[in-house]
């Protein structure tokens, strides 16, 4: 049996507060995500879901516990090693899109491949395919200010997919979108899940969480047991 894509054991994250106080953002989290799962992390603000997502995305490091990505223990990795994981094995989609405003959709999608040193012709071909996959084959040379919110998010999804990542992480991916654009983006996630992509997203929107195959609720830095979910669904 292959190793889980994501395996978290006893994960803790403690931040320094005022004076001698400490803020315990995560309090011993255990989580396993297998290849092809579509998981939604939900919970109130301050529940720890974004902290957990940032650690899974190697944007932050835990105070204690273990995090294995594809069976590899990330604790032993240097900053350069973590950066390599972020660039090659994790695709990020953010609420604010994070597109470079003065570059075209094609150039935005090519960017991760530039960092990896992929030759120009290959990265252009891959970026075109990624944009076509998200339905933007006719918007290759449009800049972000020439695109709708939904189109910007699809560019961001194409940028995440162009690396063929191990896992796609989305942090409130529909938070800045109108209802129609939200439906379009959620349908795209459905399609990617059907193709076998592993997807984990953070959301506070019930409509978004309902599309996932598994919903994980968090409160006070802990994952709630299934029997504690009454009133949350």
């Amino acid at each position: 049996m292959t190793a889980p894509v994501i395996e978290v054991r006893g994960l803790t994250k403690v931040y320094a507060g005022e004076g001698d106080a400490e803020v315990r953002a995560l309090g011993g989290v255990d989580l396993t995500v297998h290849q092809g799962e579509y998981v939604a992390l939900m919970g109130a603000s301050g529940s720890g879901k974004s902290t957990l997502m940032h650690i899974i995305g190697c944007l932050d490091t835990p105070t204690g516990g273990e995090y294995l990505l594809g069976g590899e223990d990330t604790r032993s990795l240097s900053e350069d090693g973590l950066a390599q994981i972020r660039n090659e094995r994790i695709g990020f989609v953010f609420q604010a899109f994070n597109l470079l405003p003065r570059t075209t959709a094609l150039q935005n999608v090519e960017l991760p491949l530039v960092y990896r040193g992929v030759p120009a012709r290959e990265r252009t071909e891959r970026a075109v395919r990624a944009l076509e996959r998200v339905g933007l084959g006719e918007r290759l040379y449009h800049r972000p200010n020439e695109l709708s919110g939904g189109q910007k998010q699809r560019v961001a999804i194409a940028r995440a997919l162009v690396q063929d990542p191990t896992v796609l992480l989305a942090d409130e991916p529909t938070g800045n979108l109108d209802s129609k654009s939200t439906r379009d983006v959620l349908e795209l996630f459905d399609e990617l899940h059907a193709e076998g992509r592993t997807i984990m997203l953070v959301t506070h929107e019930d409509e978004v969480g309902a599309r996932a195959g598994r919903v994980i609720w968090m409160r006070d830095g802990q994952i709630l047991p299934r029997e504690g979910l009454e009133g949350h669904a």
Side-chain angles (χ1 to χ4, degrees):
M1 183 177 179
T2 60
V5 173
I6 293 167
E7 192 168 7
V8 166
R9 304 169 183 161
L11 207 68
T12 62
K13 182 65 179 182
V14 179
Y15 297 99
E18 295 184 9
D20 295 329
E22 291 183 337
V23 178
R24 197 171 186 83
L26 295 177
V29 170
D30 297 315
L31 174 65
T32 301
V33 178
H34 293 279
Q35 173 66 41
E37 277 202 274
Y38 185 177
V39 177
L41 283 176
M42 301 190 71
S45 178
S47 63
K49 60 187 187 300
S50 291
T51 300
L52 178 57
M53 177 74 89
H54 287 167
I55 291 174
I56 289 172
C58 295
L59 295 169
D60 199 357
T61 55
T63 304
E66 298 177 306
Y67 166 39
L68 286 77
L69 179 64
E72 181 177 7
D73 191 342
T74 60
R75 292 177 302 175
S76 62
L77 297 175
S78 65
E79 285 297 323
D80 287 344
L82 292 172
Q84 185 175 5
I85 281 181
R86 289 194 298 269
N87 195 40
E88 296 181 4
R89 297 169 62 184
I90 298 172
F92 294 99
V93 180
F94 297 101
Q95 177 177 348
F97 317 131
N98 291 6
L99 302 178
L100 297 178
R102 297 183 180 179
T103 59
T104 65
L106 182 62
Q107 291 168 326
N108 269 285
V109 175
E110 283 184 311
L111 195 58
L113 303 179
V114 173
Y115 293 147
R116 289 177 63 176
V118 175
R121 181 173 179 177
E122 180 185 346
R123 68 176 182 249
T124 298
E125 290 173 350
R126 289 171 62 176
V128 169
R129 287 198 300 270
L131 283 162
E132 289 175 343
R133 173 64 193 82
V134 300
L136 292 178
E138 297 180 356
R139 297 288 189 272
L140 301 179
Y141 302 106
H142 286 62
R143 290 177 170 79
N145 66 353
E146 300 170 319
L147 300 171
S148 69
Q151 289 170 336
K152 290 176 188 177
Q153 194 59 290
R154 283 189 279 160
V155 172
I157 294 170
R159 182 183 55 194
L161 293 175
V162 77
Q163 314 172 72
D164 192 23
T166 302
V167 59
L168 187 64
L169 299 181
D171 193 355
E172 299 284 3
T174 61
N176 284 341
L177 303 182
D178 59 33
S179 57
K180 181 184 183 304
S181 296
T182 292
R183 288 193 300 272
D184 290 344
V185 167
L186 292 179
E187 287 172 4
L188 179 56
F189 278 129
D190 289 344
E191 293 170 7
L192 294 171
H193 175 229
E195 293 171 3
R197 292 279 178 185
T198 306
I199 302 171
M200 176 176 282
L201 60 82
V202 164
T203 185
H204 66 276
E205 300 177 69
D206 291 338
E207 176 190 1
V208 178
R211 305 291 279 261
R214 177 160 57 121
V215 175
I216 295 172
W217 283 90
M218 296 191 68
R219 180 198 292 160
D220 299 330
Q222 301 276 358
I223 290 176
L224 296 179
R226 288 184 181 274
E227 59 268 22
L229 296 183
E230 290 81 1
H232 289 272

